[in-house]
């Protein structure tokens, strides 16, 4: 597990976050398929269901999130926050595009509905901006372990490059949204809710995607250790407004 304190990004201003996202936008991953082997039927069966779910989840246009962010920006006279959130959503959509390009190359079918995504959508919309961000951070933390496992599950140079890009982007996303939670002022018992939500979500993800995690060298214990470790760091950022050296 990588400590968030090791990232070059700290508690940047929203203008700095906008610069960060813009820089990433101009250095998008160019997926190289020249050395890409053909996926075997067994490999397709292994990765296809989970890749479908994550591709669909990353594709959200974030309409509700952006409406919440706009209300926050107006209330707090912070138009730069809304601009940063729009860049964040755009970067998430690039992730979906990477996976879609990979799926199209290997002729993996695209999925349009997922019960797990439906549950996340209901949870996100159960409140305002804070609910959206809490659920987003939960999903992004789990994605870190998933993309590490996915990269090791099949011998695919293109997929490994996509997973590296996802990990590079998702770590700052967790920092960005954790500082949002700090600005929204955590309330008593919210940390307990975040822990319970993480435990429930990672259990459901493990049960539905266990084959990919195991192929990538993950046990449930390792998944739990990684997810709860990152959550602990996110909670510390939300409470203190700074990144500590937590390992």
């Amino acid at each position: 597990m990588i400590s968030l304190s090791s990232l070059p990004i700290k508690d940047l201003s929203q203008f700095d976050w906008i610069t960060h996202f813009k820089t990433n936008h101009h250095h998008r991953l160019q997926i190289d398929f020249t050395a890409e082997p053909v996926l075997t039927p067994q490999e397709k069966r292994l990765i296809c269901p989970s890749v479908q779910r994550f591709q669909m989840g990353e594709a959200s246009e974030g309409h509700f999130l952006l409406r919440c962010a706009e209300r926050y920006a107006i209330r707090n006279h912070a138009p730069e926050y809304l601009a940063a959130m729009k860049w964040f959503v755009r970067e998430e959509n690039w992730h979906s595009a990477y996976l879609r390009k990979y799926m199209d190359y290997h002729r993996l079918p695209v999925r349009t509905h997922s019960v797990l995504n439906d549950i996340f959508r209901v949870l996100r919309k159960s409140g305002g901006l804070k609910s959206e961000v809490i659920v987003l951070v939960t999903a992004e933390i789990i994605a870190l372990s998933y993309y590490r496992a996915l990269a090791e599950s099949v011998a695919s140079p293109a997929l490994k490059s996509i997973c590296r890009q996802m990990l590079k982007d998702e770590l700052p996303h967790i920092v960005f949204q954790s500082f949002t939670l700090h600005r929204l002022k955590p309330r008593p018992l919210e940390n307990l809710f975040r822990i319970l939500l993480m435990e429930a979500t990672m259990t459901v993800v493990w049960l539905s995607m266990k084959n990919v995690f195991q192929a990538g060298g993950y046990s449930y214990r390792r998944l739990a250790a990684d997810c709860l470790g990152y959550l602990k760091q996110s909670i510390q950022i939300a409470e203190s407004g700074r990144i500590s050296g937590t390992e």
Side-chain angles (χ1 to χ4, degrees):
M1 185 181 72
I2 300 173
S3 172
L4 296 180
S5 64
S6 68
L7 297 178
I9 294 175
K10 303 301 179 184
D11 184 11
L12 303 180
S13 72
Q14 298 305 320
F15 294 107
D16 290 328
W17 279 111
I18 292 170
T19 299
H20 166 78
F21 288 128
K22 283 184 176 181
T23 300
N24 282 358
H25 180 71
H26 292 298
H27 294 86
R28 290 292 92 203
L29 174 67
Q30 301 300 315
I31 306 172
D32 183 6
F33 290 105
T34 57
E36 183 71 4
V38 176
L39 288 179
T40 67
Q42 293 80 9
E43 288 173 328
K44 287 185 177 182
R45 286 195 296 271
L46 172 67
I47 69 170
C48 185
S50 63
V51 171
Q52 287 175 323
R53 291 189 183 100
F54 273 82
Q55 187 274 330
M56 182 170 50
E58 303 272 17
S60 172
E61 295 182 359
H63 293 307
F64 184 75
L65 172 64
L66 293 177
R67 285 199 300 272
C68 291
E70 183 175 20
R71 286 195 292 270
Y72 172 88
I74 292 172
R75 186 168 59 250
N76 293 277
H77 309 287
E80 67 280 359
Y81 176 76
L82 177 59
M85 191 66 83
K86 287 180 178 179
W87 278 105
F88 163 80
V89 171
R90 183 177 298 182
E91 191 158 280
E92 289 286 289
N93 291 162
W94 270 105
H95 293 177
S96 175
Y98 297 149
L99 292 174
R100 177 61 184 268
K101 189 171 183 178
Y102 182 81
M103 294 170 72
D104 289 346
Y105 180 86
H106 286 287
R107 298 184 179 180
L108 301 177
V110 176
R111 191 169 181 171
T112 58
H113 179 263
S114 165
V115 173
L116 187 59
N117 282 351
D118 288 346
I119 293 172
F120 268 104
R121 189 177 299 110
V122 170
L123 288 172
R124 291 201 318 269
K125 294 184 178 182
S126 62
L129 181 60
K130 186 179 287 185
S131 295
E132 276 274 359
V133 173
I134 285 174
V135 175
L136 270 173
V137 172
T138 301
E140 287 169 340
I141 288 174
I142 292 175
L144 294 177
S145 295
Y146 170 73
Y147 286 124
R148 288 194 185 101
L150 182 64
E152 300 301 321
S153 63
V154 293
S156 168
L159 187 59
K160 290 180 188 300
S161 70
I162 292 171
C163 291
R164 283 194 300 270
Q165 183 68 47
M166 300 296 209
L167 294 171
K168 177 178 177 291
D169 292 343
E170 294 289 6
L171 283 164
H173 287 184
I174 294 169
V175 176
F176 173 64
Q177 300 296 8
S178 297
F179 278 117
T180 291
L181 292 175
H182 173 69
R183 295 180 178 95
L184 293 173
K185 298 180 175 56
R187 296 176 181 175
L189 298 181
E190 281 182 352
N191 291 344
L192 176 60
F193 170 73
R194 294 188 66 186
I195 292 169
L196 294 175
L197 176 63
M198 178 61 75
E199 290 178 341
T201 305
M202 70 187 184
T203 299
V204 171
V205 169
W206 172 263
L207 292 174
S208 61
M209 306 179 190
K210 180 171 64 174
N211 55 348
V212 173
F213 281 107
Q214 289 177 328
Y218 269 79
S219 62
Y220 179 77
R221 179 174 294 183
R222 180 185 173 189
L223 174 66
D226 279 5
C227 291
L228 293 174
Y230 280 119
L231 178 61
K232 180 180 179 181
Q233 295 183 67
S234 175
I235 288 172
Q236 288 175 336
I237 295 171
E239 288 183 332
S240 67
R242 59 186 178 85
I243 301 178
S244 68
T246 301
E247 299 294 335

